[in-house]
Amino acid sequence: MNPHHARYEKKKKRIRLNGVFYAILSSASFGFSPLFSLGLITVGLTNFDILSYRWGIAGIVLMIYAFYRKKTLVPNSWDETWKIILLSALRAITSVTLLIGYANISSGIASTINFMYPVIVALCMMFFFGEHKSFVDIAAIAVSIFGVYLLASGDSLIVEGGDTTLGLTCSLISAFSFAAYYILMKKLK
């Protein structure tokens, strides 16, 4: 085997493992969102207060990381700037609508609806971008949607003083905006 090829394959494998690690870390941290958000909501913080603290801390961590790695956070062009603005807006819509969902329906159901974004991504990629679709893919998507429908149609949905329609609508908007975020991340490079 060519030594350059062997090094390339080893580097590719390391990058893939790093990607898996960061995906797990990202999912786990996002999964803790209701735990911390609900506590802050109960002590009287608004959604915007919560998100300001969350994004402020994330911004500080990002700046420290960039400084440590000697990277700049300044966009290189107008093209890059508008992409960052668009993706940031979608991420903000996801966060705000999910917090509104938490305030109006059960946080478990709001999170479950939000985590339907992979199904939305799969459907969009299949029907709008021509990605492969099979009977198994379609069946898995149908079962997932039916499962969330059953979960969201029960009495566990209700939160005292909450607006169920608003909570469900905002949770769905959160899922769709998160799906749009992922699709645009892939398509905008």
Side-chain angles (χ1 to χ4, degrees):
M1 178 182 259
N2 181 342
H4 294 291
H5 181 70
R7 270 185 286 176
Y8 172 76
E9 287 299 320
K10 189 174 181 178
K11 183 177 180 180
K12 198 164 109 176
K13 184 176 181 180
R14 188 178 75 240
I15 290 170
R16 194 174 312 129
L17 288 175
N18 283 343
V20 169
F21 170 75
Y22 289 125
I24 291 169
L25 183 65
S26 172
S27 295
S29 64
F30 195 78
F32 279 112
S33 183
L35 176 69
F36 298 115
S37 298
L38 290 173
L40 295 172
I41 288 170
T42 57
V43 296
L45 288 172
T46 68
N47 294 338
F48 293 102
D49 293 335
I50 294 166
L51 294 176
S52 295
Y53 286 119
R54 183 187 301 169
W55 292 334
I57 292 168
I60 291 167
V61 170
L62 184 60
M63 286 188 286
I64 291 168
Y65 177 79
F67 179 77
Y68 173 76
R69 301 286 280 181
K70 296 178 177 56
K71 302 279 185 185
T72 180
L73 297 176
V74 178
N76 293 327
S77 66
W78 171 247
D79 186 53
E80 197 173 274
T81 302
W82 79 261
K83 289 176 184 178
I84 291 169
I85 291 169
L86 176 62
L87 291 170
S88 297
L90 286 170
R91 193 64 183 94
I93 290 167
T94 299
S95 298
V96 169
T97 54
L98 186 57
L99 285 176
I100 294 169
Y102 289 159
N104 288 285
I105 61 174
S106 161
S107 63
I109 293 173
S111 293
T112 301
I113 292 169
N114 174 262
F115 279 106
M116 288 295 294
Y117 76 87
V119 170
I120 298 166
V121 169
L123 286 169
C124 288
M125 297 306 287
M126 285 179 198
F127 292 106
F128 298 122
F129 298 102
E131 286 202 3
H132 173 75
K133 54 185 162 235
S134 70
F135 173 76
V136 172
D137 295 336
I138 300 297
I141 288 169
V143 169
S144 297
I145 292 170
F146 184 66
V148 170
Y149 167 77
L150 289 176
L151 181 69
S153 63
D155 290 338
S156 63
L157 184 69
I158 299 168
V159 168
E160 187 177 323
D163 181 341
T164 303
T165 304
L166 177 64
L168 286 171
T169 302
C170 285
S171 297
L172 281 169
I173 291 169
S174 178
F176 276 95
S177 62
F178 208 28
Y181 173 85
Y182 272 98
I183 291 167
L184 287 174
M185 278 284 274
K186 181 177 182 175
K187 294 298 178 184
L188 294 177
K189 298 180 173 51

